[in-house]
Amino acid sequence: PNGHRVFRRLAQLPQITFAVLNGNAFGGGLELALACDFRIAASNIKLALPEVNIGTLPGWAGSSRLIDGIGFSRAKFMLLSGSPIDADTASAWGLVHTVAPFEELTAAANEFVAKFRKAGPVAQRLGKQLISAFENKTNSEVLEAFAGAITATTEDLAEGILSFREKRSTQFSGR
């Protein structure tokens, strides 16, 4: 619940928020970036929700925000495989808004943000609120928390965490 609350507050800020990704964004890092309005990425990074690989699911509204951002089919791929995607794929899918070489990332981010400085802040805040009014994530956040809680009781999660710590392949039992 705290993660949901923190990321919801970030998403609901009246100001426009930007995530500048200069390194891989996996799990909670991607969920944090998804809570921002826009994402600018270095061309060498990868993004993933890998939680399924240790037998659990994202816990901070990452799945619902991912669906909103890239659609059901692509979100299903990322969520159910845990596979990372590169920055160019993320851009093509609409997950990130700008991609630049690492050395040019700051300049690219500044150029992207500059586009928003020209607009009226009151209109921007109201526009952001208007768009947010069409998003109803309450039910999905409850379901996501419920699904994550269920996985917390499984042998698969215990095995996933242990294999991660021991840096070995997982041997899931389906229980």
Side-chain angles (χ1 to χ4, degrees):
N2 285 336
H4 278 119
R5 187 172 23 259
V6 169
F7 287 179
R8 185 180 317 111
R9 283 191 167 169
L10 173 60
Q12 292 174 344
L13 283 172
Q15 303 87 355
I16 299 171
T17 55
F18 303 89
V20 179
L21 308 172
N22 64 359
N24 293 339
F26 285 10
L30 179 53
E31 289 183 282
L32 175 60
L34 287 167
C36 294
D37 297 310
F38 300 100
R39 288 158 295 284
I40 300 124
S43 57
N44 63 321
I45 71 158
K46 296 190 181 303
L47 303 100
L49 291 174
E51 290 86 348
V52 70
N53 293 319
I54 62 164
T56 191
L57 296 166
W60 300 324
S63 52
S64 61
R65 287 194 176 99
L66 192 65
I67 291 166
D68 288 345
I70 64 174
F72 282 102
S73 180
R74 290 172 174 158
K76 213 182 269 189
F77 168 77
M78 289 186 71
L79 188 69
L80 301 180
S81 74
S83 297
I85 60 171
D86 61 31
D88 289 332
T89 301
S91 178
W93 289 3
L95 185 55
V96 299
H97 301 86
T98 296
V99 175
F102 178 80
E103 306 77 34
E104 301 169 22
L105 186 60
T106 300
N110 288 334
E111 182 179 327
F112 187 82
V113 170
K115 296 172 185 174
F116 296 88
R117 290 193 177 122
K118 300 174 186 172
V122 172
Q124 284 178 327
R125 285 192 296 270
L126 290 172
K128 184 173 173 176
Q129 300 266 331
L130 177 65
I131 292 167
S132 294
F134 293 97
E135 299 172 343
N136 182 1
K137 295 189 178 11
T138 304
N139 293 334
S140 61
E141 287 179 8
V142 169
L143 291 172
E144 184 180 72
F146 181 69
I150 289 173
T151 66
T153 66
T154 66
E155 292 175 19
D156 278 354
L157 178 59
E159 164 60 15
I161 291 170
L162 184 62
S163 65
F164 179 79
R165 286 182 183 152
E166 294 176 352
K167 297 184 183 345
R168 61 172 174 79
S169 296
T170 51
Q171 302 298 315
F172 290 124
S173 66
R175 292 185 290 256

